């Protein structure tokens, strides 16, 4: 299963490149008012499909049991939705005096506001053998992004409610009645969401390439890639150091969950939300670029570190067992 999931993620990253390339070759197909009618098919149907799919696949019973890890949950939420975006904001005050494209910098801020993904963080945590208890509550994220958008907050909230919350709830209700069938057949939820997400990415870049006034210089792109890699690695080291302090109260398995869940960001949730929050914005695709870069970087960096972290966790757990007094 892990091999299949890894292969799916690799194909998805290739799909992102192909979607952007396709938008470059023929942007007229996916622009607003074009044959695909993305103002309807993407803004409403595609986004709703992703979250209905999430509602069907979300195992509420497992999330409920995760509430036992209150301290772990609170740490990840505070780090992800408070410390992370605040630190990025401070960092961007320094970067604002550089020649880096301002819309890429705004995109970097939106990355900081995203919650961790249910997919890659949980998979990497499982690969090591840690705890996966974390519930994503994106309300603070929506408020933060809404305050920086030119779209009225009431409009953002109503569309988010209709295309995110309602489909998610309906998916959960439907899951109750077909739970046994879902467990038996195991539908390809990940592949479905990835396919719809590629369509959203394609139409987003169609708008960009159809606008001659938008230009992305390679210097800014390379710097953003380096910055994203540095930020992610630095935060992984920071969370490791903090959660392994003597008085932290976290187990080695908790540390694994903290490292991955606190530093990973959700592309599946992020792209649809940016599409809603920055609806009609001519620089939406540039704002999306840092998140599109962050996603493969977190998977590659996480995969490279899994063996090392697993080895550390096993040695720590053995050390704890050896130090326990025998009765």
């Amino acid at each position: 299963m892990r091999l299949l999931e890894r292969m799916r993620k690799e194909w998805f990253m290739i799909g992102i490149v192909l979607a952007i390339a396709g938008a470059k070759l023929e942007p007229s197909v996916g622009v607003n008012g074009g044959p695909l009618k993305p103002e309807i098919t993407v803004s409403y149907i595609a986004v709703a499909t992703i979250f209905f799919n999430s509602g069907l696949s979300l195992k509420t019973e497992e999330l409920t049991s995760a509430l036992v890890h209150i301290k772990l949950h609170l740490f990840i939420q505070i780090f992800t939705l408070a410390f992370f975006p605040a630190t990025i904001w401070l960092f961007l005050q320094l970067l604002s005096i550089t020649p880096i494209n301002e819309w890429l910098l705004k995109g970097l801020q939106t990355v900081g506001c995203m919650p961790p993904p249910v997919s890659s963080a949980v998979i990497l945590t499982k690969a090591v053998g840690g705890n996966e208890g974390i519930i994503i509550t994106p309300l603070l994220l929506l408020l933060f992004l809404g305050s920086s958008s030119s779209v009225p907050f009431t409009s953002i909230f109503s569309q988010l409610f209709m295309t995110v919350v309602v489909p998610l709830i309906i998916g959960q209700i439907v899951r109750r009645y077909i739970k046994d069938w879902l467990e038996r057949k195991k539908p390809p939820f990940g592949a479905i969401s990835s396919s719809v997400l590629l369509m959203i990415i394609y139409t987003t870049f169609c708008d960009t390439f159809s606008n001659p006034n938008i230009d992305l210089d390679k210097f800014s792109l390379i710097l953003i890639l380096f910055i994203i890699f540095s930020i992610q690695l630095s935060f992984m080291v920071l969370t490791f150091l903090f959660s392994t302090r003597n008085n932290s109260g976290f187990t080695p398995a908790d540390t694994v969950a903290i490292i991955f869940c606190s530093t990973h960001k959700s592309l599946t949730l992020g792209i649809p939300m940016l599409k809603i929050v920055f609806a009609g914005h001519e620089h939406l695709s540039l704002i999306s670029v840092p998140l599109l870069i962050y996603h493969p970087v977190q998977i590659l960096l996480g995969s490279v570190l899994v063996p090392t972290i697993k080895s550390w966790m096993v040695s720590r757990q053995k050390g704890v067992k050896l130090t326990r007094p025998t009765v």
Side-chain angles (χ1 to χ4, degrees):
M1 289 297 291
R2 290 174 188 168
L3 178 61
L4 290 174
E5 185 64 26
R6 188 170 66 181
M7 289 177 62
R8 183 183 69 80
K9 288 186 176 295
E10 289 174 353
W11 277 109
F12 178 64
M13 287 187 281
I14 294 172
I16 291 176
V17 175
L18 292 176
I20 296 174
K24 175 68 173 177
L25 290 173
E26 193 54 60
S28 61
V29 175
V31 296
N32 285 341
L36 286 182
K37 300 294 182 184
E39 62 272 18
I40 298 173
T41 57
V42 170
S43 298
Y44 293 95
I45 299 175
V47 175
T49 299
I50 286 178
F51 288 98
F52 174 74
N53 188 53
S54 297
L56 279 178
S57 61
L58 197 61
K59 297 181 179 179
T60 314
E61 58 275 12
E62 292 185 4
L63 295 178
T64 303
S65 65
L67 286 172
V68 176
H69 304 284
I70 295 177
K71 184 177 180 180
L72 174 67
H73 171 66
L74 285 176
F75 177 87
I76 294 174
Q77 291 294 329
I78 292 172
F79 188 94
T80 304
L81 299 178
F83 180 82
F84 203 126
T87 303
I88 294 296
W89 182 83
L90 290 172
F91 185 45
L92 290 181
Q93 304 312 301
L94 297 175
L95 292 179
S96 62
I97 61 175
T98 67
I100 299 177
N101 186 289
E102 65 170 312
W103 299 107
L104 289 180
L105 293 180
K106 289 181 184 295
L108 200 58
Q109 180 65 73
T110 65
V111 169
C113 299
M114 296 297 164
V118 176
S119 54
S120 62
V122 170
I123 289 165
L124 289 168
T125 301
K126 279 185 174 179
V128 178
N131 296 331
E132 55 181 294
I134 178 67
I135 301 172
I136 307 301
T137 309
L139 181 59
L140 291 177
L141 167 69
L142 308 185
L143 292 173
F144 194 97
L145 287 177
S147 65
S148 63
S149 170
S150 58
V151 181
F153 180 77
T154 52
S155 176
I156 294 171
F157 180 79
S158 60
Q159 188 169 351
L160 284 172
F161 182 77
M162 293 304 298
T163 59
V164 176
V165 180
V166 172
L168 193 65
I169 293 173
I170 293 175
Q172 280 283 280
I173 293 172
V174 173
R175 178 181 172 81
R176 282 189 174 187
Y177 293 98
I178 60 172
K179 179 182 174 182
D180 293 336
W181 181 85
L182 291 173
E183 294 295 333
R184 189 171 62 254
K185 296 294 184 180
K186 299 186 183 302
F189 293 117
I192 294 171
S193 291
S194 295
S195 300
V196 177
L197 192 57
L198 287 176
M199 179 184 174
I200 297 175
I201 293 170
Y202 168 73
T203 56
T204 299
F205 278 86
C206 280
D207 285 332
T208 297
F209 293 129
S210 64
N211 188 340
N213 297 322
I214 295 179
D215 182 38
L216 176 59
D217 60 289
K218 295 179 181 178
F219 174 75
S220 293
L221 197 58
I222 293 172
L223 280 181
I224 287 293
L225 176 60
F226 175 75
I227 291 168
I228 286 174
F229 180 85
S230 302
I231 288 174
Q232 195 167 153
L233 187 60
S234 299
F235 279 174
M236 291 181 84
V237 171
L238 182 63
T239 53
F240 175 80
L241 293 175
F242 186 89
S243 60
T244 53
R245 295 183 308 164
N246 292 330
N247 60 346
S248 69
F250 293 119
T251 66
D254 290 338
T255 296
V256 172
I258 287 171
I259 290 173
F260 289 126
C261 293
S262 297
T263 59
H264 282 206
K265 296 295 183 177
S266 174
L267 182 68
T268 305
L269 181 63
I271 292 297
M273 284 204 177
L274 290 181
K275 192 78 175 178
I276 294 171
V277 173
F278 295 98
H281 202 296
E282 65 174 349
H283 294 98
L284 172 59
S285 61
L286 295 185
I287 295 173
S288 306
V289 165
L291 185 57
L292 291 173
I293 294 174
Y294 197 96
H295 180 74
V297 168
Q298 71 187 10
I299 294 173
L300 293 174
L301 188 57
S303 299
V304 169
L305 292 176
V306 159
T308 303
I309 295 176
K310 184 173 185 177
S311 176
W312 169 83
M313 193 190 76
V314 170
S315 65
R316 284 293 298 267
Q317 289 178 332
K318 285 181 178 179
V320 171
K321 291 179 181 177
L322 291 174
T323 55
R324 286 177 180 172
T326 56
V327 180

